[in-house]
Amino acid sequence: MSGRAVAVVGGVTTKWGVRSATWPELAQEVGAALFRAVPELRAEEVDSLFVGAAEPERFAFQSHVAPLAAEQMGVRPHRILQRTELACASGQSAIRSAYAAIASGLSDIAVAVGIEKMNIPSMAEANSSMGCVMDRMWDGPHGATAPPFFAMVAQRHMLEYGTTEEQLAAVSEKNHRFANSNPSAQFHEKSFPRDKLLRLPLIAPPLRLGDCSSMTDGAAAVLLVGEESARRFTDTPAWIRGTGQYSDFHNLAHSGSLTDWVGLKTASREALRRAGIGVHDLDFAEVHDCFSISEIIEYEALGLCGPGEGGRFVADGRSSIGGEIVVNPRGGLLGCGHPLGATGIGQAVEVFHQFARTVPPARQVPDPEWALVHNLSGSANVHSLMVYQRGGAA
Amino acid sequence: MSGEPPRPRRPGGALSSEPRPEETPKNPPVEPKAKPVEALPFLLDFFPLEGAKETRLSRFYERLREGRVSTTRCPRDLELHWPPRTACPKCHSEELEWTDLPEKGRIYSFSAVLAGAPLGMEAEVPYAVGLVDLEGAPLRLFGRIEGRAWNALHVGESVRLEPYALPDGRWFYRFRAAD
Ligand SMILES: [Zn+2]
């Protein structure tokens, strides 16, 4: 890409799950973890802070969270301080904003943090908060939330291509298995035993409990710097080589083909073009498996397989270690949970540690050089992507 | 969700033209007098306020009371909108007209909420929702499907679009499957 090169040079996550901790406490926890993990970083050097947070107003009754996060984390940004909100992609939006700020010279050393507190006393109130991600005045009164929307996507994919419940379960099984080696993850294989997946309760048919990501409390943070200081922090910077985004609707009336995700095709073409690589150059991908069906369609829209072949792609092991590309080695949203604003940051943390070879061997991608991160948001109406390259020269 | 049956549709049928949204109707809308039944806090209630004081689209809700589900259309480029709008997204004209939507549609896709309903809808679980292609209009609407259990619905089957009253006097719309 043109301009100043930007890299992720450090990253941490808190434990994700149902946490006995408030939003500000999660901010303190992730701040402490970041400074422990990157001892070279002095707090006063952090000139900018980008806070990915989707719904702190609804889940923590707190607005103006950027200065709150800064105070909790012990930093005093003097260039750019802001919150980024893009529902499920709020975290990646923080990274994209930090990238743009550093590339432009406005910032030199920035932290992108994602924080979400989702488990609150009333589950029904939490469900309402998830529902207002949709067009709440028109789709909301019908009781629209994410599970029935993605269930309709799954129903169409099954109808048009013969995708099966077993293939959906193969996504869940793979990602929960990867999560076994991720102590930060909310769930592990034992929470969703393989032989029980098809007998778990239906949430929104055909989707069962194991097909759906969860309400999760958690935080994650990455450190981003310009090319001149990357080596101060790590020998294996994760260089941002490309990014792309596409949005094509909001009200569900305009969702078009539920199975052909044109927005993802468009955004990924842009991100890969900027990086100067093709999809088959990728060694691994962290994609947005908010539901099992999402990952299946993402294989197809990214061009890893043909239309309708996503179910077979995962069932045949082609997206696991030893296959053509490793998808969601971190454990995905299905395994790690989905603390909205933290998810995109957590994926970038995984990219950094995969490149640094500091993840447990069970999920280490062999010799990775190129990685892609994808988030969708809402009803898959927005797609946001980043392409990272390991080490090498700026 | 309970509610009285929809009132008969006005003669004239679908796609009849009506005054533009900002025009003051001759008979002002009847504001709901009763307080909402088991009222939710305003910011947790998905059903919108419908009066002319709260929205420039109050004609939409008035027309629901008349038994018609309608939307706006741009007379300049004939763009049919959903949801109804105050400005055309194509030419940005604010001179829009009201038009009735077709009553019949076919299910494109459906599912049901068996768990995880929003606040105030828990008692309605399980409820079916779907995307429905309207017959005779280039629109695919999302909505609740009443009238039959979710596991007896089928992709491609015919459903009817209908207004219904909420217990608190507000109105909304939904689909109904044949018995
Ligand atoms: Zn127009």
Side-chain angles (χ1 to χ4, degrees):
Chain A
M1 299 179 89
S2 56
R4 183 193 199 187
V6 180
V8 170
V9 295
V12 293
T13 67
T14 67
K15 169 69 185 163
W16 288 10
V18 180
R19 292 291 314 275
S20 302
T22 64
W23 197 101
E25 289 161 7
L26 291 169
Q28 290 189 32
E29 192 175 320
V30 78
L34 181 66
F35 284 102
R36 262 200 312 276
V38 191
E40 304 82 4
L41 179 66
R42 300 190 308 275
E44 61 273 18
E45 291 183 298
V46 177
D47 62 57
S48 298
L49 179 69
F50 298 86
V51 182
E55 298 199 60
E57 288 86 353
R58 292 237 61 114
F59 287 113
F61 194 23
Q62 178 69 61
S63 279
H64 210 202
V65 290
L68 174 64
E71 187 170 271
Q72 301 297 315
M73 296 174 73
V75 294
R76 291 181 162 218
H78 49 274
R79 301 262 185 87
I80 303 177
L81 170 65
Q82 70 179 48
R83 166 187 172 191
T84 57
E85 189 276 305
L86 194 65
C88 323
S90 299
Q92 192 190 129
S93 290
I95 297 177
R96 295 180 94 231
S97 300
Y99 160 69
I102 296 171
S104 74
L106 273 174
S107 167
D108 297 313
I109 296 184
V111 169
V113 64
I115 306 161
E116 211 77 45
K117 172 73 189 176
M118 299 179 73
N119 289 283
I120 56 175
S122 162
M123 195 58 172
E125 190 174 336
N127 292 332
S128 291
S129 300
M130 293 306 291
C132 74
V133 168
M134 306 278 196
D135 186 344
R136 84 93 168 148
M137 280 185 66
W138 298 96
D139 294 333
H142 301 289
T145 58
F149 174 76
F150 286 91
M152 293 193 297
V153 171
Q155 183 191 49
R156 289 299 310 187
H157 207 268
M158 290 169 147
L159 198 71
E160 291 169 23
Y161 298 114
T163 299
T164 64
E165 279 196 62
E166 287 78 7
Q167 291 169 340
L168 295 179
V171 176
S172 181
E173 190 272 327
K174 168 179 73 71
N175 293 353
H176 287 115
R177 179 164 39 80
F178 275 138
N180 286 342
S181 64
N182 185 346
S184 300
Q186 181 169 13
F187 301 111
H188 302 98
E189 204 173 0
K190 64 179 186 311
S191 340
F192 291 95
R194 179 182 198 156
D195 57 337
K196 294 211 171 69
L197 284 174
L198 294 178
R199 283 177 288 152
L200 290 173
L202 286 164
I203 300 298
L207 301 179
R208 295 175 185 276
L209 190 61
D211 293 303
C212 308
S213 60
S214 181
M215 298 276 197
T216 307
D217 310 329
V222 287
L223 176 65
L224 296 104
V225 301
E227 53 193 279
E228 64 290 338
S229 55
R231 301 286 171 183
R232 227 188 89 197
F233 296 101
T234 178
D235 295 330
T236 54
W239 296 106
I240 295 173
R241 298 301 194 199
T243 181
Q245 190 173 55
Y246 194 83
S247 166
D248 53 359
F249 69 96
H250 193 246
N251 186 282
L252 294 182
H254 309 134
S255 49
S257 163
L258 296 181
T259 57
D260 182 14
W261 289 4
V262 178
L264 176 50
K265 287 180 176 172
T266 309
S268 61
R269 263 200 307 270
E270 168 78 358
L272 292 167
R273 183 192 63 77
R274 284 179 177 270
I277 62 166
V279 70
H280 297 290
D281 295 318
L282 294 168
D283 298 294
F284 70 102
E286 287 284 316
V287 305
H288 203 92
D289 57 327
C290 48
F291 296 90
S292 54
I293 185 64
S294 313
E295 184 168 320
I296 285 176
I297 295 181
E298 284 151 10
Y299 301 146
E300 299 171 12
L302 288 170
L304 293 168
C305 62
E309 294 173 2
R312 281 201 303 278
F313 191 79
V314 61
D316 292 348
R318 292 163 68 187
S319 52
S320 205
I321 288 176
E324 287 151 49
I325 179 171
V326 185
V327 178
N328 285 331
R330 183 181 68 112
L333 284 60
L334 290 170
C336 295
H338 182 22
L340 310 173
T343 285
I345 311 267
Q347 292 167 312
V349 171
E350 178 72 9
V351 169
F352 174 77
H353 286 290
Q354 285 281 351
F355 285 168
R357 295 187 179 85
T358 45
V359 297
R363 72 175 204 266
Q364 177 66 59
V365 177
D367 199 23
E369 184 187 357
W370 289 99
L372 176 135
V373 173
H374 160 256
N375 294 112
L376 65 78
S377 40
S379 44
N381 50 334
V382 184
H383 294 273
S384 309
L385 294 101
M386 308 207 63
V387 176
Y388 293 91
Q389 184 183 23
R390 175 183 183 271
Chain B
M1 186 162 294
S2 65
E4 49 189 280
R7 297 171 197 183
R9 288 165 77 100
R10 240 186 213 176
L15 301 177
S16 66
S17 174
E18 282 288 314
R20 50 200 174 82
E22 54 269 47
E23 191 170 310
T24 311
K26 280 180 190 148
N27 301 311
V30 182
E31 298 298 329
K33 291 207 175 68
K35 282 280 173 204
V37 182
E38 293 173 46
L40 293 167
F42 174 67
L43 289 180
L44 283 167
D45 185 359
F46 282 100
F47 290 91
L49 297 178
E50 304 179 343
K53 277 185 191 157
E54 290 102 10
T55 169
R56 294 176 61 197
L57 295 171
S58 59
R59 279 294 286 147
F60 175 80
Y61 304 100
E62 287 166 37
R63 291 166 71 107
L64 289 179
R65 285 156 210 252
E66 296 162 2
R68 305 185 295 179
V69 184
S70 50
T71 192
T72 53
R73 181 174 56 187
C74 177
R76 216 189 278 186
D77 49 30
L78 301 181
E79 184 85 354
L80 188 67
H81 309 137
W82 186 264
R85 299 181 57 105
T86 57
C88 177
K90 206 167 169 184
C91 72
H92 301 105
S93 164
E94 295 180 87
E95 312 288 316
L96 307 181
E97 61 189 17
W98 286 97
T99 181
D100 286 350
L101 291 175
E103 244 183 28
K104 278 182 73 179
R106 285 184 187 280
I107 296 177
Y108 174 74
S109 187
F110 71 93
S111 182
V113 172
L114 307 192
L119 192 67
M121 298 185 191
E122 306 102 306
E124 295 153 28
V125 170
Y127 58 80
V129 293
L131 283 162
V132 173
D133 286 323
L134 299 185
E135 285 185 10
L139 288 177
R140 178 179 293 161
L141 261 56
F142 176 81
R144 189 74 71 92
I145 305 175
E146 298 286 346
R148 195 153 358 114
W150 67 268
N151 50 9
L153 294 171
H154 306 282
V155 168
E157 82 168 279
S158 190
V159 292
R160 232 177 51 239
L161 181 60
E162 64 175 27
Y164 70 98
L166 274 69
D168 67 8
R170 288 179 291 175
W171 284 71
F172 211 63
Y173 60 94
R174 65 188 172 196
F175 294 101
R176 177 166 292 280
D179 296 330

